[in-house]
């Protein structure tokens, strides 16, 4: 009998479980409680209170949208927005944005940002290396609005870009022409380097011949000077010998030679 007096309280208490990667917030008679509830059981009065649970893990919002280009074309794009909710801002999100935050906030801001950014790029840019630049610019514009509302925009991905068939053919033709131009530039550059190599070799051979000719001329000159010097020395020696012979002959020797 002593437990019967607690029986009405049991019917006034209910329990809700906040799952991992979720944050729970209580609302009592329409008033949002600023206290956040971490994963686990949450007790509440089912007659006046309810528990709202929001996922705070990374979410993927897929969008299929027509985007304008700088030349006025309409480009069909399949995009993804990767985002997550800040845990501490869950009560603020419920109160200010509501539970339909993707339709009420993220999608409209994305459409506006994507249209504004893509209209400043040519259609071919969305199909080339500039796609990453476009994604970063859209993400920046989206974060400027959504982060102050409690959302973290992790990435904006343009997964698929469908260009008009005529434009696709034009881009392929242009790319083929650019590749051919690069190939011809490579061939011309290789021929230019081969020509420079031949010129260097010819100049080297020319310099070698000049050096050899100068060396040969110098050798001939030295040999001629040596021969002239030898002749000069030999002439001086003969002259000295004749002078000595002449000085040794006197009248007495001549007379003796005559008697003999």
């Amino acid at each position: 009998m002593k437990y019967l007096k607690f029986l009405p309280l049991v019917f006034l208490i209910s329990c809700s479980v906040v799952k991992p990667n979720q944050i729970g917030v209580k609302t009592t008679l329409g008033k949002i409680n600023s206290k956040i509830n971490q994963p686990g059981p949450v007790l509440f009065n089912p007659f006046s209170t309810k528990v709202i649970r929001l996922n705070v893990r990374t979410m993927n919002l897929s969008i299929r949208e027509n985007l304008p280009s700088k030349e006025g074309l309409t480009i069909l794009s399949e995009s993804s927005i990767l985002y997550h909710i800040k845990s501490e801002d869950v009560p603020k999100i419920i109160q200010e944005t509501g539970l339909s935050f993707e339709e009420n906030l993220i999608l409209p801001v994305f459409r506006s940002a994507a249209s504004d950014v893509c209209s400043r790029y040519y259609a071919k840019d969305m199909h080339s290396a500039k796609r990453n630049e476009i994604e970063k610019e859209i993400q920046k514009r989206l974060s400027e609005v959504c982060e102050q509302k409690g959302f973290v925009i992790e990435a904006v991905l343009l997964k698929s870009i469908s260009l008009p068939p005529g434009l696709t053919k034009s881009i392929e033709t242009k790319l083929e022409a650019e590749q051919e131009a690069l190939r011809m530039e490579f061939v011309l550059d290789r021929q230019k380097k081969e020509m420079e190599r031949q010129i260097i070799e010819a100049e080297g051979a020319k310099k070698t011949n000049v050096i050899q000719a100068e060396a040969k001329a110098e050798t001939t000159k030295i040999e001629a000077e040596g021969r002239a010097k030898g002749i000069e020395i030999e002439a001086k020696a003969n002259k000295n010998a004749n002078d000595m012979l002449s000085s040794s002959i006197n009248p007495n020797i001549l007379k003796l030679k005559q008697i003999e």
Side-chain angles (χ1 to χ4, degrees):
M1 295 296 294
K2 64 179 179 179
Y3 295 106
L4 294 178
K5 60 181 180 179
F6 296 106
L7 189 60
L9 295 177
V10 174
F11 291 104
L12 295 177
I13 296 175
S14 184
C15 180
S16 177
V17 177
V18 179
K19 298 179 180 179
N21 297 319
Q22 287 185 339
I23 291 294
V25 175
K26 292 181 181 180
T27 61
T28 303
L29 299 176
K31 184 178 180 181
I32 299 174
N33 193 330
S34 60
K35 180 183 177 181
I36 60 176
N37 296 275
Q38 300 294 336
V42 179
L43 300 177
F44 66 98
N45 183 349
F47 297 100
S48 61
T49 305
K50 66 178 181 178
V51 178
I52 300 175
R53 293 170 294 180
L54 288 181
N55 291 318
V56 291
R57 67 177 185 272
T58 298
M59 305 292 290
N60 179 15
L61 176 59
S62 297
I63 307 165
R64 187 178 176 88
E65 188 76 13
N66 288 321
L67 301 175
S69 66
K70 188 174 182 178
E71 61 267 63
L73 298 175
T74 299
I75 311 300
L76 179 60
S77 170
E78 293 183 6
S79 310
S80 285
I81 302 174
L82 302 180
Y83 73 95
H84 69 267
I85 297 173
K86 297 179 183 179
S87 299
E88 64 275 13
D89 288 343
V90 169
K92 175 183 175 181
I93 292 172
I94 297 175
Q95 183 173 359
E96 296 182 0
T97 309
L99 298 180
S100 301
F101 46 80
E102 288 187 347
E103 293 78 10
N104 295 336
L105 176 67
I106 298 178
L107 281 175
V109 176
F110 170 80
R111 291 190 176 100
S112 175
S115 298
D116 183 56
V117 172
C118 292
S119 64
R120 293 188 277 110
Y121 289 87
Y122 291 104
K124 64 181 182 64
D125 296 334
M126 304 178 195
H127 208 267
S128 65
K130 287 190 176 182
R131 178 186 295 191
N132 184 59
E133 180 180 333
I134 297 173
E135 292 173 342
K136 294 294 184 183
E137 185 65 23
I138 296 174
Q139 179 186 354
K140 178 181 177 182
R141 298 283 295 275
L142 193 57
S143 297
E144 290 175 355
V145 177
C146 293
E147 286 207 7
Q148 61 185 354
K149 296 290 186 178
F151 301 90
V152 176
I153 307 300
E154 299 178 8
V156 173
L157 306 175
L158 301 179
K159 298 186 296 183
S160 175
I161 299 293
S162 300
L163 301 177
L167 181 60
T168 302
K169 182 62 177 177
S170 300
I171 292 175
E172 291 176 352
T173 303
K174 182 179 179 180
L175 291 176
E176 291 176 358
E178 290 177 350
Q179 292 176 354
E180 181 65 18
L182 290 174
R183 189 185 70 82
M184 290 302 300
E185 183 179 351
F186 171 76
V187 172
L188 293 174
D189 184 64
R190 186 174 61 181
Q191 292 177 348
K192 180 181 178 181
K193 290 182 178 178
E194 177 64 18
M195 185 180 300
E196 290 175 351
R197 185 187 65 81
Q198 293 176 358
I199 291 173
I200 292 173
E201 289 181 353
E203 291 178 349
K206 180 180 178 180
K207 289 180 180 179
T208 301
N209 293 334
V210 171
I211 292 173
Q212 290 177 349
E214 290 177 350
K216 185 176 181 180
E218 186 68 20
T219 301
T220 303
K221 179 180 177 182
I222 292 173
E223 290 177 352
E225 291 177 350
R227 286 195 298 271
K229 193 71 174 177
I231 293 172
E232 182 181 356
I233 293 172
E234 184 179 358
K236 287 182 178 180
N238 290 334
K239 183 177 180 298
N240 291 334
N242 291 332
D243 291 343
M244 292 177 62
L245 181 61
S246 297
S247 61
S248 63
I249 298 175
N250 52 47
N252 294 328
I253 293 176
L254 291 175
K255 186 175 182 181
L256 178 61
K257 291 293 183 180
Q258 186 178 6
I259 294 173
E260 291 178 354

